[in-house]
Amino acid sequence: MADTLLAQHAQALEYFGGLVHAVGPEQWDGPTPCTEWTVRDLVNHVVGEQLWVPPLVTEGLTVAEVGGALDGDLLGDDPADAWDRGAAGAVAAFGAPGALERTVKLSYGDAKAAAYCSELAADTVVHAWDLARGIGADDRIPAELVEFALKEIAPYADGLAASGAYAEPLEIPAGADAQTRLLAMVGRKG
């Protein structure tokens, strides 16, 4: 099970990373489906999520101990390189022996690192769709990532909007495919 989760996490990051590398120089200030975020803001957010993994998983720090160290612009002059470094650090941290069994101290409480990994992978899948839309790329999410994200998000989808992390869920159209169902759960119309 751990190998499968690590593979899904790596695949989600690879998918998002491919889109990051496809962003044209003129697209960084463009809008995304996340209405408050430009393409750069969106990528900065997902890079930040990856940069949190080593201190929380490897070092055992709390959110308070990390503090504001990962606030602000994390992309610098080379957003694709910032992504590559952040993703590599997250993959290494989760992939270390025994890492997925550790307890991490998240903003909402203690969780198993495996649950944290799964949550981040699903979030990355959804934000990859946002990024694809923002840059006008193909927004069809690989089917195995859609299924993975659906299984991860479905149990807590109703509470996502209340957390402020996502928009209100949309009504799922009759006969909707898996990607449409996933996007509707997180307040996006595919």
mmCIF file of all heavy atoms in Angstrom, residues 117-164:
data_model
loop_
_atom_site.group_PDB
_atom_site.id
_atom_site.type_symbol
_atom_site.label_atom_id
_atom_site.label_comp_id
_atom_site.label_asym_id
_atom_site.label_seq_id
_atom_site.Cartn_x
_atom_site.Cartn_y
_atom_site.Cartn_z
ATOM 1 N N CYS A 117 0.276 12.660 2.912
ATOM 2 C CA CYS A 117 0.763 12.423 1.559
ATOM 3 C C CYS A 117 -0.408 12.284 0.590
ATOM 4 O O CYS A 117 -0.417 12.884 -0.491
ATOM 5 C CB CYS A 117 1.634 11.169 1.538
ATOM 6 S SG CYS A 117 2.317 10.733 -0.068
ATOM 7 N N SER A 118 -1.392 11.514 0.976
ATOM 8 C CA SER A 118 -2.563 11.297 0.136
ATOM 9 C C SER A 118 -3.328 12.602 -0.082
ATOM 10 O O SER A 118 -3.751 12.922 -1.200
ATOM 11 C CB SER A 118 -3.461 10.241 0.784
ATOM 12 O OG SER A 118 -4.520 9.904 -0.054
ATOM 13 N N GLU A 119 -3.491 13.356 0.974
ATOM 14 C CA GLU A 119 -4.182 14.649 0.893
ATOM 15 C C GLU A 119 -3.448 15.599 -0.061
ATOM 16 O O GLU A 119 -4.063 16.253 -0.909
ATOM 17 C CB GLU A 119 -4.265 15.253 2.297
ATOM 18 C CG GLU A 119 -4.888 16.604 2.382
ATOM 19 C CD GLU A 119 -4.798 17.160 3.800
ATOM 20 O OE1 GLU A 119 -5.044 16.409 4.765
ATOM 21 O OE2 GLU A 119 -4.462 18.347 3.923
ATOM 22 N N LEU A 120 -2.132 15.690 0.082
ATOM 23 C CA LEU A 120 -1.353 16.579 -0.782
ATOM 24 C C LEU A 120 -1.399 16.125 -2.232
ATOM 25 O O LEU A 120 -1.473 16.961 -3.143
ATOM 26 C CB LEU A 120 0.099 16.651 -0.316
ATOM 27 C CG LEU A 120 0.383 17.496 0.907
ATOM 28 C CD1 LEU A 120 1.880 17.504 1.203
ATOM 29 C CD2 LEU A 120 -0.114 18.916 0.729
ATOM 30 N N ALA A 121 -1.339 14.825 -2.464
ATOM 31 C CA ALA A 121 -1.392 14.325 -3.835
ATOM 32 C C ALA A 121 -2.728 14.679 -4.486
ATOM 33 O O ALA A 121 -2.763 15.143 -5.627
ATOM 34 C CB ALA A 121 -1.163 12.815 -3.852
ATOM 35 N N ALA A 122 -3.823 14.481 -3.772
ATOM 36 C CA ALA A 122 -5.140 14.810 -4.321
ATOM 37 C C ALA A 122 -5.266 16.308 -4.572
ATOM 38 O O ALA A 122 -5.796 16.733 -5.605
ATOM 39 C CB ALA A 122 -6.239 14.332 -3.372
ATOM 40 N N ASP A 123 -4.765 17.128 -3.664
ATOM 41 C CA ASP A 123 -4.799 18.575 -3.850
ATOM 42 C C ASP A 123 -3.984 18.979 -5.080
ATOM 43 O O ASP A 123 -4.394 19.852 -5.847
ATOM 44 C CB ASP A 123 -4.268 19.271 -2.592
ATOM 45 C CG ASP A 123 -4.495 20.765 -2.617
ATOM 46 O OD1 ASP A 123 -5.662 21.195 -2.659
ATOM 47 O OD2 ASP A 123 -3.495 21.520 -2.609
ATOM 48 N N THR A 124 -2.861 18.334 -5.275
ATOM 49 C CA THR A 124 -2.016 18.627 -6.438
ATOM 50 C C THR A 124 -2.737 18.266 -7.730
ATOM 51 O O THR A 124 -2.643 18.997 -8.723
ATOM 52 C CB THR A 124 -0.673 17.883 -6.326
ATOM 53 O OG1 THR A 124 -0.020 18.304 -5.117
ATOM 54 C CG2 THR A 124 0.233 18.172 -7.503
ATOM 55 N N VAL A 125 -3.482 17.173 -7.729
ATOM 56 C CA VAL A 125 -4.253 16.776 -8.915
ATOM 57 C C VAL A 125 -5.266 17.866 -9.254
ATOM 58 O O VAL A 125 -5.377 18.291 -10.414
ATOM 59 C CB VAL A 125 -4.953 15.419 -8.689
ATOM 60 C CG1 VAL A 125 -5.968 15.128 -9.789
ATOM 61 C CG2 VAL A 125 -3.924 14.300 -8.590
ATOM 62 N N VAL A 126 -6.009 18.332 -8.270
ATOM 63 C CA VAL A 126 -7.015 19.367 -8.517
ATOM 64 C C VAL A 126 -6.341 20.656 -8.999
ATOM 65 O O VAL A 126 -6.792 21.286 -9.963
ATOM 66 C CB VAL A 126 -7.865 19.621 -7.251
ATOM 67 C CG1 VAL A 126 -8.775 20.830 -7.435
ATOM 68 C CG2 VAL A 126 -8.679 18.377 -6.905
ATOM 69 N N HIS A 127 -5.262 21.031 -8.354
ATOM 70 C CA HIS A 127 -4.578 22.259 -8.771
ATOM 71 C C HIS A 127 -3.900 22.115 -10.131
ATOM 72 O O HIS A 127 -3.700 23.120 -10.827
ATOM 73 C CB HIS A 127 -3.594 22.703 -7.699
ATOM 74 C CG HIS A 127 -4.248 23.349 -6.527
ATOM 75 N ND1 HIS A 127 -5.291 24.258 -6.645
ATOM 76 C CD2 HIS A 127 -4.016 23.236 -5.194
ATOM 77 C CE1 HIS A 127 -5.664 24.662 -5.447
ATOM 78 N NE2 HIS A 127 -4.909 24.052 -4.547
ATOM 79 N N ALA A 128 -3.583 20.891 -10.542
ATOM 80 C CA ALA A 128 -3.060 20.690 -11.892
ATOM 81 C C ALA A 128 -4.145 21.049 -12.911
ATOM 82 O O ALA A 128 -3.866 21.680 -13.937
ATOM 83 C CB ALA A 128 -2.587 19.251 -12.075
ATOM 84 N N TRP A 129 -5.376 20.673 -12.620
ATOM 85 C CA TRP A 129 -6.486 21.047 -13.504
ATOM 86 C C TRP A 129 -6.609 22.565 -13.543
ATOM 87 O O TRP A 129 -6.778 23.156 -14.622
ATOM 88 C CB TRP A 129 -7.786 20.403 -13.018
ATOM 89 C CG TRP A 129 -8.956 20.737 -13.905
ATOM 90 C CD1 TRP A 129 -9.339 20.077 -15.036
ATOM 91 C CD2 TRP A 129 -9.876 21.824 -13.730
ATOM 92 N NE1 TRP A 129 -10.450 20.693 -15.574
ATOM 93 C CE2 TRP A 129 -10.798 21.761 -14.791
ATOM 94 C CE3 TRP A 129 -10.014 22.829 -12.785
ATOM 95 C CZ2 TRP A 129 -11.843 22.670 -14.934
ATOM 96 C CZ3 TRP A 129 -11.050 23.746 -12.927
ATOM 97 C CH2 TRP A 129 -11.960 23.660 -13.986
ATOM 98 N N ASP A 130 -6.511 23.218 -12.373
ATOM 99 C CA ASP A 130 -6.566 24.682 -12.330
ATOM 100 C C ASP A 130 -5.468 25.286 -13.197
ATOM 101 O O ASP A 130 -5.698 26.248 -13.940
ATOM 102 C CB ASP A 130 -6.378 25.199 -10.899
ATOM 103 C CG ASP A 130 -7.493 24.811 -9.950
ATOM 104 O OD1 ASP A 130 -8.647 24.671 -10.389
ATOM 105 O OD2 ASP A 130 -7.201 24.664 -8.745
ATOM 106 N N LEU A 131 -4.272 24.742 -13.082
ATOM 107 C CA LEU A 131 -3.133 25.264 -13.839
ATOM 108 C C LEU A 131 -3.329 25.038 -15.333
ATOM 109 O O LEU A 131 -3.076 25.936 -16.144
ATOM 110 C CB LEU A 131 -1.831 24.631 -13.344
ATOM 111 C CG LEU A 131 -0.542 25.107 -14.012
ATOM 112 C CD1 LEU A 131 -0.397 26.621 -13.933
ATOM 113 C CD2 LEU A 131 0.661 24.412 -13.377
ATOM 114 N N ALA A 132 -3.790 23.849 -15.697
ATOM 115 C CA ALA A 132 -4.050 23.568 -17.110
ATOM 116 C C ALA A 132 -5.047 24.574 -17.672
ATOM 117 O O ALA A 132 -4.847 25.131 -18.761
ATOM 118 C CB ALA A 132 -4.564 22.135 -17.283
ATOM 119 N N ARG A 133 -6.103 24.830 -16.934
ATOM 120 C CA ARG A 133 -7.086 25.825 -17.373
ATOM 121 C C ARG A 133 -6.465 27.214 -17.471
ATOM 122 O O ARG A 133 -6.735 27.968 -18.388
ATOM 123 C CB ARG A 133 -8.271 25.862 -16.399
ATOM 124 C CG ARG A 133 -9.283 24.754 -16.590
ATOM 125 C CD ARG A 133 -10.079 25.024 -17.862
ATOM 126 N NE ARG A 133 -10.967 23.971 -18.215
ATOM 127 C CZ ARG A 133 -12.291 24.016 -18.091
ATOM 128 N NH1 ARG A 133 -12.870 25.067 -17.575
ATOM 129 N NH2 ARG A 133 -13.014 23.003 -18.501
ATOM 130 N N GLY A 134 -5.628 27.563 -16.499
ATOM 131 C CA GLY A 134 -5.013 28.875 -16.470
ATOM 132 C C GLY A 134 -4.084 29.139 -17.644
ATOM 133 O O GLY A 134 -3.952 30.281 -18.091
ATOM 134 N N ILE A 135 -3.441 28.082 -18.151
ATOM 135 C CA ILE A 135 -2.495 28.280 -19.255
ATOM 136 C C ILE A 135 -3.042 27.784 -20.594
ATOM 137 O O ILE A 135 -2.338 27.821 -21.601
ATOM 138 C CB ILE A 135 -1.121 27.632 -18.956
ATOM 139 C CG1 ILE A 135 -1.206 26.117 -18.856
ATOM 140 C CG2 ILE A 135 -0.506 28.253 -17.706
ATOM 141 C CD1 ILE A 135 0.146 25.410 -18.768
ATOM 142 N N GLY A 136 -4.280 27.316 -20.597
ATOM 143 C CA GLY A 136 -4.892 26.862 -21.841
ATOM 144 C C GLY A 136 -4.359 25.523 -22.335
ATOM 145 O O GLY A 136 -4.396 25.231 -23.526
ATOM 146 N N ALA A 137 -3.894 24.694 -21.422
ATOM 147 C CA ALA A 137 -3.390 23.362 -21.773
ATOM 148 C C ALA A 137 -4.526 22.336 -21.712
ATOM 149 O O ALA A 137 -5.618 22.634 -21.225
ATOM 150 C CB ALA A 137 -2.271 22.960 -20.808
ATOM 151 N N ASP A 138 -4.255 21.141 -22.169
ATOM 152 C CA ASP A 138 -5.213 20.046 -22.081
ATOM 153 C C ASP A 138 -5.538 19.818 -20.605
ATOM 154 O O ASP A 138 -4.640 19.596 -19.796
ATOM 155 C CB ASP A 138 -4.603 18.788 -22.690
ATOM 156 C CG ASP A 138 -5.525 17.575 -22.654
ATOM 157 O OD1 ASP A 138 -6.679 17.699 -22.188
ATOM 158 O OD2 ASP A 138 -5.076 16.503 -23.080
ATOM 159 N N ASP A 139 -6.814 19.896 -20.256
ATOM 160 C CA ASP A 139 -7.193 19.776 -18.840
ATOM 161 C C ASP A 139 -7.780 18.413 -18.487
ATOM 162 O O ASP A 139 -8.384 18.251 -17.431
ATOM 163 C CB ASP A 139 -8.151 20.898 -18.436
ATOM 164 C CG ASP A 139 -9.494 20.834 -19.143
ATOM 165 O OD1 ASP A 139 -9.736 19.894 -19.937
ATOM 166 O OD2 ASP A 139 -10.312 21.737 -18.919
ATOM 167 N N ARG A 140 -7.555 17.418 -19.324
ATOM 168 C CA ARG A 140 -7.998 16.063 -18.994
ATOM 169 C C ARG A 140 -6.977 15.449 -18.056
ATOM 170 O O ARG A 140 -5.822 15.238 -18.412
ATOM 171 C CB ARG A 140 -8.136 15.196 -20.243
ATOM 172 C CG ARG A 140 -9.291 15.557 -21.154
ATOM 173 C CD ARG A 140 -10.654 15.500 -20.528
ATOM 174 N NE ARG A 140 -10.933 14.225 -19.880
ATOM 175 C CZ ARG A 140 -11.985 14.008 -19.120
ATOM 176 N NH1 ARG A 140 -12.860 14.947 -18.884
ATOM 177 N NH2 ARG A 140 -12.156 12.834 -18.556
ATOM 178 N N ILE A 141 -7.407 15.191 -16.853
ATOM 179 C CA ILE A 141 -6.547 14.599 -15.826
ATOM 180 C C ILE A 141 -6.404 13.107 -16.127
ATOM 181 O O ILE A 141 -7.403 12.449 -16.449
ATOM 182 C CB ILE A 141 -7.162 14.807 -14.427
ATOM 183 C CG1 ILE A 141 -7.385 16.294 -14.139
ATOM 184 C CG2 ILE A 141 -6.296 14.168 -13.349
ATOM 185 C CD1 ILE A 141 -8.264 16.561 -12.918
ATOM 186 N N PRO A 142 -5.210 12.549 -16.002
ATOM 187 C CA PRO A 142 -5.074 11.105 -16.195
ATOM 188 C C PRO A 142 -6.079 10.341 -15.321
ATOM 189 O O PRO A 142 -6.267 10.656 -14.142
ATOM 190 C CB PRO A 142 -3.629 10.826 -15.770
ATOM 191 C CG PRO A 142 -2.909 12.122 -16.048
ATOM 192 C CD PRO A 142 -3.920 13.196 -15.710
ATOM 193 N N ALA A 143 -6.709 9.342 -15.921
ATOM 194 C CA ALA A 143 -7.811 8.622 -15.271
ATOM 195 C C ALA A 143 -7.426 8.057 -13.905
ATOM 196 O O ALA A 143 -8.209 8.127 -12.954
ATOM 197 C CB ALA A 143 -8.318 7.505 -16.183
ATOM 198 N N GLU A 144 -6.211 7.519 -13.779
ATOM 199 C CA GLU A 144 -5.822 6.920 -12.500
ATOM 200 C C GLU A 144 -5.677 7.986 -11.416
ATOM 201 O O GLU A 144 -5.951 7.733 -10.240
ATOM 202 C CB GLU A 144 -4.552 6.080 -12.625
ATOM 203 C CG GLU A 144 -3.324 6.825 -13.093
ATOM 204 C CD GLU A 144 -3.203 7.001 -14.612
ATOM 205 O OE1 GLU A 144 -4.153 6.697 -15.364
ATOM 206 O OE2 GLU A 144 -2.123 7.444 -15.040
ATOM 207 N N LEU A 145 -5.292 9.198 -11.802
ATOM 208 C CA LEU A 145 -5.204 10.287 -10.819
ATOM 209 C C LEU A 145 -6.589 10.793 -10.436
ATOM 210 O O LEU A 145 -6.822 11.162 -9.280
ATOM 211 C CB LEU A 145 -4.342 11.433 -11.354
ATOM 212 C CG LEU A 145 -2.852 11.165 -11.435
ATOM 213 C CD1 LEU A 145 -2.114 12.353 -12.037
ATOM 214 C CD2 LEU A 145 -2.284 10.800 -10.063
ATOM 215 N N VAL A 146 -7.516 10.787 -11.379
ATOM 216 C CA VAL A 146 -8.898 11.169 -11.061
ATOM 217 C C VAL A 146 -9.473 10.191 -10.043
ATOM 218 O O VAL A 146 -10.044 10.599 -9.026
ATOM 219 C CB VAL A 146 -9.778 11.200 -12.328
ATOM 220 C CG1 VAL A 146 -11.251 11.363 -11.966
ATOM 221 C CG2 VAL A 146 -9.343 12.324 -13.258
ATOM 222 N N GLU A 147 -9.309 8.905 -10.299
ATOM 223 C CA GLU A 147 -9.850 7.888 -9.387
ATOM 224 C C GLU A 147 -9.209 8.000 -8.008
ATOM 225 O O GLU A 147 -9.887 7.905 -6.979
ATOM 226 C CB GLU A 147 -9.670 6.489 -9.967
ATOM 227 C CG GLU A 147 -10.531 6.218 -11.179
ATOM 228 C CD GLU A 147 -12.031 6.357 -10.931
ATOM 229 O OE1 GLU A 147 -12.499 6.055 -9.810
ATOM 230 O OE2 GLU A 147 -12.739 6.759 -11.861
ATOM 231 N N PHE A 148 -7.896 8.190 -7.974
ATOM 232 C CA PHE A 148 -7.200 8.359 -6.706
ATOM 233 C C PHE A 148 -7.752 9.561 -5.945
ATOM 234 O O PHE A 148 -8.079 9.472 -4.754
ATOM 235 C CB PHE A 148 -5.694 8.529 -6.946
ATOM 236 C CG PHE A 148 -4.970 9.064 -5.749
ATOM 237 C CD1 PHE A 148 -4.696 8.248 -4.668
ATOM 238 C CD2 PHE A 148 -4.603 10.401 -5.683
ATOM 239 C CE1 PHE A 148 -4.056 8.755 -3.539
ATOM 240 C CE2 PHE A 148 -3.960 10.911 -4.573
ATOM 241 C CZ PHE A 148 -3.680 10.090 -3.497
ATOM 242 N N ALA A 149 -7.862 10.716 -6.624
ATOM 243 C CA ALA A 149 -8.332 11.935 -5.961
ATOM 244 C C ALA A 149 -9.782 11.805 -5.505
ATOM 245 O O ALA A 149 -10.141 12.281 -4.421
ATOM 246 C CB ALA A 149 -8.147 13.143 -6.884
ATOM 247 N N LEU A 150 -10.611 11.153 -6.305
ATOM 248 C CA LEU A 150 -12.008 10.921 -5.897
ATOM 249 C C LEU A 150 -12.078 10.132 -4.596
ATOM 250 O O LEU A 150 -12.810 10.494 -3.673
ATOM 251 C CB LEU A 150 -12.760 10.148 -6.981
ATOM 252 C CG LEU A 150 -13.511 10.940 -8.023
ATOM 253 C CD1 LEU A 150 -14.017 10.017 -9.128
ATOM 254 C CD2 LEU A 150 -14.643 11.737 -7.416
ATOM 255 N N LYS A 151 -11.304 9.054 -4.513
ATOM 256 C CA LYS A 151 -11.312 8.221 -3.302
ATOM 257 C C LYS A 151 -10.786 8.988 -2.098
ATOM 258 O O LYS A 151 -11.268 8.807 -0.981
ATOM 259 C CB LYS A 151 -10.471 6.959 -3.516
ATOM 260 C CG LYS A 151 -11.129 5.953 -4.418
ATOM 261 C CD LYS A 151 -10.238 4.752 -4.643
ATOM 262 C CE LYS A 151 -10.837 3.845 -5.694
ATOM 263 N NZ LYS A 151 -9.889 2.846 -6.159
ATOM 264 N N GLU A 152 -9.801 9.842 -2.319
ATOM 265 C CA GLU A 152 -9.234 10.622 -1.219
ATOM 266 C C GLU A 152 -10.198 11.702 -0.745
ATOM 267 O O GLU A 152 -10.420 11.861 0.447
ATOM 268 C CB GLU A 152 -7.907 11.255 -1.654
ATOM 269 C CG GLU A 152 -7.365 12.300 -0.700
ATOM 270 C CD GLU A 152 -7.057 11.800 0.702
ATOM 271 O OE1 GLU A 152 -6.784 10.607 0.899
ATOM 272 O OE2 GLU A 152 -7.086 12.629 1.633
ATOM 273 N N ILE A 153 -10.756 12.453 -1.665
ATOM 274 C CA ILE A 153 -11.540 13.647 -1.330
ATOM 275 C C ILE A 153 -12.974 13.333 -0.926
ATOM 276 O O ILE A 153 -13.535 14.026 -0.069
ATOM 277 C CB ILE A 153 -11.497 14.648 -2.498
ATOM 278 C CG1 ILE A 153 -10.067 15.179 -2.663
ATOM 279 C CG2 ILE A 153 -12.479 15.788 -2.303
ATOM 280 C CD1 ILE A 153 -9.832 16.025 -3.895
ATOM 281 N N ALA A 154 -13.581 12.300 -1.491
ATOM 282 C CA ALA A 154 -15.005 12.011 -1.247
ATOM 283 C C ALA A 154 -15.377 11.964 0.234
ATOM 284 O O ALA A 154 -16.394 12.543 0.631
ATOM 285 C CB ALA A 154 -15.419 10.733 -1.959
ATOM 286 N N PRO A 155 -14.601 11.311 1.109
ATOM 287 C CA PRO A 155 -15.020 11.227 2.511
ATOM 288 C C PRO A 155 -15.115 12.582 3.232
ATOM 289 O O PRO A 155 -15.852 12.701 4.201
ATOM 290 C CB PRO A 155 -13.939 10.352 3.160
ATOM 291 C CG PRO A 155 -13.354 9.565 2.044
ATOM 292 C CD PRO A 155 -13.414 10.469 0.853
ATOM 293 N N TYR A 156 -14.378 13.577 2.788
ATOM 294 C CA TYR A 156 -14.420 14.867 3.476
ATOM 295 C C TYR A 156 -14.810 16.024 2.554
ATOM 296 O O TYR A 156 -14.661 17.195 2.915
ATOM 297 C CB TYR A 156 -13.091 15.158 4.182
ATOM 298 C CG TYR A 156 -11.841 15.101 3.329
ATOM 299 C CD1 TYR A 156 -11.447 16.177 2.545
ATOM 300 C CD2 TYR A 156 -11.036 13.962 3.333
ATOM 301 C CE1 TYR A 156 -10.294 16.121 1.775
ATOM 302 C CE2 TYR A 156 -9.879 13.901 2.572
ATOM 303 C CZ TYR A 156 -9.512 14.988 1.791
ATOM 304 O OH TYR A 156 -8.365 14.933 1.040
ATOM 305 N N ALA A 157 -15.350 15.715 1.393
ATOM 306 C CA ALA A 157 -15.699 16.744 0.409
ATOM 307 C C ALA A 157 -16.675 17.777 0.963
ATOM 308 O O ALA A 157 -16.553 18.968 0.670
ATOM 309 C CB ALA A 157 -16.263 16.104 -0.855
ATOM 310 N N ASP A 158 -17.636 17.316 1.769
ATOM 311 C CA ASP A 158 -18.640 18.246 2.289
ATOM 312 C C ASP A 158 -18.044 19.318 3.190
ATOM 313 O O ASP A 158 -18.609 20.395 3.318
ATOM 314 C CB ASP A 158 -19.737 17.486 3.048
ATOM 315 C CG ASP A 158 -20.592 16.643 2.120
ATOM 316 O OD1 ASP A 158 -20.589 16.893 0.896
ATOM 317 O OD2 ASP A 158 -21.260 15.725 2.623
ATOM 318 N N GLY A 159 -16.915 19.062 3.814
ATOM 319 C CA GLY A 159 -16.304 20.028 4.713
ATOM 320 C C GLY A 159 -15.259 20.921 4.072
ATOM 321 O O GLY A 159 -14.736 21.830 4.716
ATOM 322 N N LEU A 160 -14.944 20.695 2.802
ATOM 323 C CA LEU A 160 -13.870 21.464 2.170
ATOM 324 C C LEU A 160 -14.198 22.952 2.060
ATOM 325 O O LEU A 160 -13.349 23.794 2.321
ATOM 326 C CB LEU A 160 -13.546 20.894 0.787
ATOM 327 C CG LEU A 160 -12.805 19.576 0.790
ATOM 328 C CD1 LEU A 160 -12.643 19.049 -0.630
ATOM 329 C CD2 LEU A 160 -11.452 19.718 1.459
ATOM 330 N N ALA A 161 -15.405 23.273 1.660
ATOM 331 C CA ALA A 161 -15.769 24.686 1.509
ATOM 332 C C ALA A 161 -15.705 25.404 2.853
ATOM 333 O O ALA A 161 -15.222 26.538 2.937
ATOM 334 C CB ALA A 161 -17.152 24.817 0.887
ATOM 335 N N ALA A 162 -16.140 24.747 3.913
ATOM 336 C CA ALA A 162 -16.104 25.361 5.243
ATOM 337 C C ALA A 162 -14.675 25.640 5.699
ATOM 338 O O ALA A 162 -14.431 26.580 6.452
ATOM 339 C CB ALA A 162 -16.815 24.464 6.257
ATOM 340 N N SER A 163 -13.729 24.842 5.204
ATOM 341 C CA SER A 163 -12.329 25.045 5.584
ATOM 342 C C SER A 163 -11.726 26.257 4.895
ATOM 343 O O SER A 163 -10.655 26.716 5.280
ATOM 344 C CB SER A 163 -11.507 23.801 5.221
ATOM 345 O OG SER A 163 -11.303 23.745 3.815
ATOM 346 N N GLY A 164 -12.390 26.749 3.861
ATOM 347 C CA GLY A 164 -11.856 27.866 3.098
ATOM 348 C C GLY A 164 -10.881 27.430 2.027
ATOM 349 O O GLY A 164 -10.382 28.243 1.257
#
